[in-house]
Amino acid sequence: MNFSKTTEYALRILSFMVIDEKRLYTAKDIFESLNIPFRYLRKLLIILSKSELIDSIQGKNGGYRISKNLNDISLMDIVRAVGEDPISNHCFFGFDNCAFEKKCAMHEKWDSVRKTITTVLSNTTLDEIKASGPHSFISNNSVLIKNV
Amino acid sequence: MNFSKTTEYALRILSFMVIDEKRLYTAKDIFESLNIPFRYLRKLLIILSKSELIDSIQGKNGGYRISKNLNDISLMDIVRAVGEDPISNHCFFGFDNCAFEKKCAMHEKWDSVRKTITTVLSNTTLDEIKASGPHSFISNNSVLIKNV
DNA sequence: CATTAATGATACCTTTAGGTGTTATTTAAA
DNA sequence: TTTAAATAACACCTAAAGGTATCATTAATG
Ligand code: SF4
Ligand code: SF4
């Protein structure tokens, strides 16, 4: 009942790149500011670039850059880009084949939870993340890394 | 962003046993009505009985029975009994050490999602599950099993 | 008191998510 | 045109969740 590490990483990466959305970031740049194992980060960057959320520039002086307007990238887009389908289970109990002629006590309640999460993720775009501040959380975390 | 299989199984087990809360169910009884691999189900029943949500009676004619009043067992209790801590990550991005002198755009939003889920799980008790019907979802699912 | 039908304990197997290592390719620039 | 600095591809390793197998223990009952 949490996002996978992979999804969290993807969300961190884009939220970090948003600090300067026109800048070309190398994997090394991102590694130095976020708490993500380097080679795994590399792998994720390839996935994200294939998903069209970021462009990749190969060769010397290459790197990655956000490829769309910030208000065209929602958190849902990011979550989906790495293959997670948030709250994919329609049924609270995980049943695939509930007939629900009579819905159980959890049906409506859980449906409402799912809608809430879906709405938050879909309605929050990267421009809102960017606007929300100096990203103290990221610099704090990078200090932790440098101490390791 | 879903419950683990284990948690779903636990929720199904208790929601099934609630149909007759005074009855002693054998693992076989439960297996025949729920879509849970038999040996894994056995393992979970042992965990649940250690967690005091159900009593186990050993020996011939033994089995399991709900051990408390239905309104004293919340869905949260069940989730916790199998070791899952729903939405344990306080931070949307999974950071352990965010200073948040200035909170990011997701902080309040995610906090609210977490509270919603926690509240639903804590406030729904087994008596409400019991009251919610003839459990058509379970019998439907057991038909599926019998066809396999 | 042996049998039988149930749970308990423990160890092992399988699949998947997360993470690492190595080599190939691309491209700017000396 | 060679070198260096970047990404791309692919294979492999590790840890955790999910699932299986075997044997031990308990207790009712003929
Ligand atoms: S009615 Fe209950 S069991 Fe059926 S799909 Fe809805 S939540 Fe699941
Ligand atoms: S402010 Fe943002 S980054 Fe910091 S703990 Fe809250 S959600 Fe996480």
Side-chain angles (χ1 to χ4, degrees):
Chain A
M1 190 83 271
N2 282 308
F3 290 115
S4 66
K5 282 276 181 199
T6 301
T7 297
E8 283 178 359
Y9 291 163
L11 291 164
R12 290 182 198 179
I13 291 167
L14 271 293
S15 297
F16 172 67
M17 293 177 75
V18 98
I19 292 174
D20 185 352
E21 76 230 52
K22 298 299 179 201
R23 176 178 158 195
L24 202 62
Y25 293 91
T26 66
K28 192 152 170 273
D29 291 334
I30 299 170
F31 170 72
E32 283 168 351
S33 290
L34 293 175
N35 196 3
I36 303 172
F38 184 67
R39 289 162 204 282
Y40 200 61
L41 168 65
R42 294 279 315 283
K43 194 184 272 190
L44 289 182
L45 286 168
I46 292 169
I47 291 170
L48 289 170
S49 67
K50 283 184 177 153
S51 79
E52 313 275 297
L53 294 181
I54 60 179
D55 286 326
S56 93
I57 314 291
Q58 290 194 49
K60 191 166 180 176
N61 299 336
Y64 302 90
R65 174 167 37 215
I66 289 180
S67 69
K68 300 184 182 184
N69 287 334
L70 296 188
N71 58 11
D72 286 332
I73 300 181
S74 71
L75 299 183
M76 183 65 92
D77 294 331
I78 300 170
V79 171
R80 290 253 167 80
V82 291
E84 185 153 346
D85 188 3
I87 322 231
S88 53
N89 287 180
H90 287 234
C91 171
F92 176 75
F93 295 97
F95 287 121
D96 289 332
N97 299 67
C98 172
F100 60 76
E101 301 108 27
K102 186 171 195 293
K103 291 171 184 167
C104 81
M106 287 309 292
H107 193 92
E108 292 301 329
K109 293 188 191 190
W110 202 241
D111 205 46
S112 148
V113 166
R114 292 180 65 238
K115 284 203 181 90
T116 301
I117 294 179
T118 304
T119 302
V120 167
L121 295 177
S122 300
N123 289 358
T124 308
T125 54
L126 286 183
D127 53 345
E128 187 174 345
I129 298 291
K130 178 176 175 125
S132 77
H135 298 267
S136 63
F137 63 103
I138 286 169
S139 50
N140 174 64
N141 215 275
S142 76
V143 168
L144 285 178
I145 292 171
K146 280 168 190 156
N147 286 343
V148 169
Chain B
M1 191 83 269
N2 283 309
F3 291 115
S4 66
K5 282 278 181 197
T6 301
T7 297
E8 283 178 358
Y9 291 163
L11 291 164
R12 291 182 198 180
I13 291 167
L14 272 293
S15 297
F16 173 67
M17 293 177 75
V18 98
I19 292 175
D20 184 352
E21 77 230 52
K22 298 298 180 202
R23 176 178 158 193
L24 203 61
Y25 293 90
T26 66
K28 191 152 170 274
D29 291 333
I30 298 170
F31 169 71
E32 284 168 352
S33 289
L34 292 174
N35 198 4
I36 303 172
F38 184 68
R39 288 160 205 281
Y40 200 61
L41 169 65
R42 294 279 313 284
K43 193 185 273 187
L44 289 181
L45 286 167
I46 293 170
I47 291 170
L48 289 171
S49 67
K50 283 184 176 152
S51 79
E52 313 273 299
L53 295 181
I54 60 179
D55 285 328
S56 91
I57 314 292
Q58 290 193 50
K60 192 168 179 175
N61 300 338
Y64 302 91
R65 175 168 35 218
I66 289 179
S67 69
K68 300 184 182 183
N69 287 335
L70 295 189
N71 58 11
D72 286 332
I73 301 181
S74 70
L75 298 184
M76 183 65 93
D77 294 331
I78 299 170
V79 171
R80 290 251 167 81
V82 291
E84 184 154 346
D85 188 4
I87 325 232
S88 53
N89 287 180
H90 288 233
C91 171
F92 176 76
F93 294 98
F95 287 120
D96 288 333
N97 299 68
C98 173
F100 62 77
E101 301 108 28
K102 184 169 196 294
K103 290 172 186 168
C104 82
M106 287 309 292
H107 193 91
E108 292 302 330
K109 293 187 191 192
W110 203 242
D111 205 46
S112 149
V113 166
R114 292 181 64 239
K115 283 203 182 92
T116 302
I117 293 179
T118 304
T119 302
V120 167
L121 294 177
S122 299
N123 290 358
T124 308
T125 54
L126 285 182
D127 53 345
E128 187 175 344
I129 298 290
K130 179 178 174 122
S132 77
H135 299 267
S136 63
F137 63 103
I138 286 169
S139 51
N140 173 65
N141 216 275
S142 74
V143 168
L144 285 179
I145 292 169
K146 282 170 189 155
N147 286 342
V148 171

